[in-house]
Amino acid sequence: TAGQPQYHNIGCCSLTIELATNGNILEEKDDTDIVMFLQGGLTKTIDGRAHMVTKPGDVGLVNVVKYVAREMDGFADNTIIMTIRKHD
């Protein structure tokens, strides 16, 4: 259903595709996960104007994206992320 996370297993990895509605979504992820922005991204307002800091297609380790996100204003509306987690 719309708005619900989608889960997929491919080989030794699991993929989660979900709407990023708040900053806590990253805190719930493992630091070694990989996140990819599929739609929207992180925003920062400078001089009254919102700037996209990450854009669709950007990929990063969750621990780095968490660090950057703490300095941002939040997610743009309708931001969708895909999280990749490798299983041992």
Side-chain angles (χ1 to χ4, degrees):
T1 61
Q4 296 297 315
Q6 297 178 20
Y7 304 98
H8 305 276
N9 288 307
I10 299 174
C12 64
C13 296
S14 62
L15 309 177
T16 305
I17 300 169
E18 58 196 323
L19 191 62
T21 55
N22 63 61
N24 292 337
I25 196 167
L26 294 174
E27 296 302 326
E28 299 166 359
K29 311 242 178 252
D30 291 345
D31 284 346
T32 56
D33 290 348
I34 296 170
V35 68
M36 178 178 187
F37 290 87
L38 302 178
Q39 177 176 301
L42 290 166
T43 64
K44 177 73 174 177
T45 301
I46 301 170
D47 295 330
R49 185 169 170 225
H51 297 271
M52 295 296 293
V53 178
T54 61
K55 296 183 179 188
D58 285 348
V59 178
L61 280 172
V62 167
N63 65 340
V64 175
V65 177
K66 282 181 188 178
Y67 181 82
V68 172
R70 290 183 192 114
E71 302 299 320
M72 300 302 114
D73 296 328
F75 291 104
D77 292 341
N78 300 313
T79 294
I80 298 174
I81 61 171
M82 177 174 64
T83 305
I84 304 168
R85 178 173 291 166
K86 184 178 178 188
H87 300 287
D88 297 324

